[in-house]
């Protein structure tokens, strides 16, 4: 509501919301710009069409009006993500809990969540998070109201690095963390240092990926734990997969680890599994399946226990 009177005039905003000092900061008038749209965070357009522009080396979600609240924050968070990615700036969350429906973390994002929790409060069909290429995230914690057509997150781009990842549903749901491109092309360079996935029928499907390094995997309540299809030149170190899903029948694919080649013979190759402990699989703990060959697979210090654990299952395990 304050109109600048001269170019380069500066103004200090105490806070984004009344009664708060969060999301405030310095803004400068830019009379040379009469086309930028108001993005509710770094560019503010006055009633007379002048532009105030935020002066900042880094961004936070509070700069866009996002706050810890029981209100749904999806639209505000998405706007902040889009602006930060386009500006190639890191953006930071305040630690706490944020209510969302579904979000897209766009290409080029650098995200510091400080272990914030993203939670939906009602079952929403489809996936809650989509993560695009060239993305760096310190920690990603997602809690869902589950359902038969509810999924967690999909990593669909190259060059994704996540420090720690948690994807949990309160009841059996579809897939937890799905790594696959949108168009079926091969992905490369996926790094996840730690992950926890709970209450998904297919916990971690990974399709047509090379050069993945995924460590410290914990999967609970699963039908299929980790499903590798056409994956190559990748390392999977330290995994604890346990807890039979109520939906496990004991049939084919009810495995802690399932590996297949589907694109060509040997399209799954050069895979290393180190320090795995798979328990309570509906069928086999580890299965190399499908109709095409799988080549060069190493297992080091891997264990299986209580296989063939599905209810009323007749499988040998």
């Amino acid at each position: 509501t304050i109109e600048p009177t001269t170019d380069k005039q500066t103004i200090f905003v105490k806070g984004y919301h009344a009664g708060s000092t969060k999301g405030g900061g310095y803004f400068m008038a830019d009379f040379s710009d009469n086309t930028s749209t108001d993005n509710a965070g770094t560019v503010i357009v006055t009633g007379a069409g002048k532009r105030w522009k935020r002066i900042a080396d880094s961004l936070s979600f509070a700069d866009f009006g996002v706050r810890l609240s029981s209100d749904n924050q999806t639209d505000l968070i998405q706007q902040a993500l889009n602006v930060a990615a386009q500006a190639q700036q890191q953006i930071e969350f305040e630690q706490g809990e944020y209510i969302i429906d579904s979000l897209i973390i766009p290409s080029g994002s650098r995200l510091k969540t400080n272990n914030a929790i993203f939670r939906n409060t009602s079952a929403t069909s489809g996936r809650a998070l989509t993560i695009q290429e060239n993305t760096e995230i310190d920690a990603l914690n997602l809690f869902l109201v589950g359902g038969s057509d509810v999924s967690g997150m999909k990593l669909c781009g190259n060059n994704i690095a996540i420090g720690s990842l948690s994807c949990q549903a309160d009841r059996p749901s579809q897939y937890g963390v799905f790594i696959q491109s949108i168009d079926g092309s091969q992905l490369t360079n996926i790094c996840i240092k730690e992950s926890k996935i709970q209450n998904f029928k297919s916990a971690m499907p990974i399709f047509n990926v090379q050069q993945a390094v995924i460590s410290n995997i914990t999967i609970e309540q699963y039908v299929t734990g980790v499903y590798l299809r056409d994956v190559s030149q990748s390392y999977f170190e330290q995994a604890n997969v346990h807890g039979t899903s109520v939906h496990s029948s004991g049939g084919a694919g009810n495995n802690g680890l399932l590996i297949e080649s589907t694109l060509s013979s040997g399209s799954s190759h050069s895979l290393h599994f180190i320090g795995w402990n798979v328990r309570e699989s509906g069928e086999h703990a580890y299965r190399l399946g499908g109709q095409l060959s799988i080549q060069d697979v190493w297992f080091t210090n891997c264990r299986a226990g209580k296989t063939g654990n599905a209810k009323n299952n007749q499988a040998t395990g």
Side-chain angles (χ1 to χ4, degrees), residues 102-125:
S102 63
L103 292 171
I104 297 173
I105 300 177
S107 300
S109 292
R110 290 187 294 128
L111 198 58
K112 186 175 182 180
T113 71
N114 293 306
N115 275 311
I117 294 171
F118 303 94
R119 184 186 298 274
N120 72 355
T121 54
S122 60
T124 304
S125 61

Side-chain angles (χ1 to χ4, degrees), residues 61-274:
F61 283 86
D63 295 341
F64 293 82
V66 178
R67 52 185 166 180
L68 298 173
S69 169
S70 59
D71 296 332
N72 192 304
Q73 303 283 291
T74 300
D75 291 343
L76 295 177
I77 293 173
Q78 189 65 66
Q79 174 74 353
L81 288 168
N82 294 345
V83 171
Q86 186 174 17
Q88 297 183 328
Q89 286 186 282
Q90 176 178 284
I91 188 165
E92 185 171 356
F93 276 94
E94 179 183 1
Q95 187 176 18
E97 187 170 291
Y98 299 86
I99 306 303
I100 64 164
D101 294 323
S102 63
L103 292 171
I104 297 173
I105 300 177
S107 300
S109 292
R110 290 187 294 128
L111 198 58
K112 186 175 182 180
T113 71
N114 293 306
N115 275 311
I117 294 171
F118 303 94
R119 184 186 298 274
N120 72 355
T121 54
S122 60
T124 304
S125 61
R127 59 179 176 265
L129 286 176
T130 301
I131 304 169
Q132 297 180 342
E133 64 185 1
N134 301 321
T135 299
E136 298 177 14
I137 305 172
D138 63 339
L140 197 54
N141 300 314
L142 178 64
F143 288 79
L144 301 174
V145 174
S148 60
D149 58 351
V150 174
S151 295
M153 59 185 76
K154 186 167 187 177
L155 284 63
C156 58
N158 298 309
N159 307 316
I160 294 175
I162 301 175
S164 66
L165 179 155
S166 177
C167 184
Q168 301 180 56
D170 67 352
R171 67 201 72 178
S173 301
Q174 191 175 14
Y175 67 77
V177 178
F178 199 163
I179 305 176
Q180 182 191 37
S181 67
I182 297 297
D183 61 4
S185 60
Q186 188 176 62
L187 296 182
T188 187
N189 193 24
I190 308 296
C191 179
I192 303 173
K193 293 184 178 179
E194 182 179 4
S195 58
K196 181 177 182 179
I197 305 168
Q198 183 175 6
N199 232 346
F200 291 93
K201 297 175 187 176
S202 184
M204 183 179 272
I206 305 175
F207 295 173
N208 201 12
V209 173
Q210 68 171 351
Q211 298 177 3
V213 178
I214 300 177
S215 308
N216 301 304
I217 303 166
T218 300
I219 292 173
E220 300 177 11
Q221 306 301 323
Y222 69 98
V223 176
T224 305
V226 176
Y227 178 16
L228 305 182
R229 199 169 79 186
D230 310 306
V231 175
S232 62
Q233 301 173 335
S234 296
Y235 284 80
F236 302 87
E237 186 169 1
Q238 302 300 324
N240 185 10
V241 184
H242 65 96
T244 315
S245 170
V246 296
H247 290 285
S248 183
S249 65
N254 290 195
N255 314 120
L257 172 64
L258 172 61
I259 309 172
E260 293 183 336
S261 293
T262 66
L263 296 176
S264 62
S265 289
S267 57
S268 280
H269 69 89
S270 304
L271 302 173
H272 299 255
F273 303 93
I274 305 164

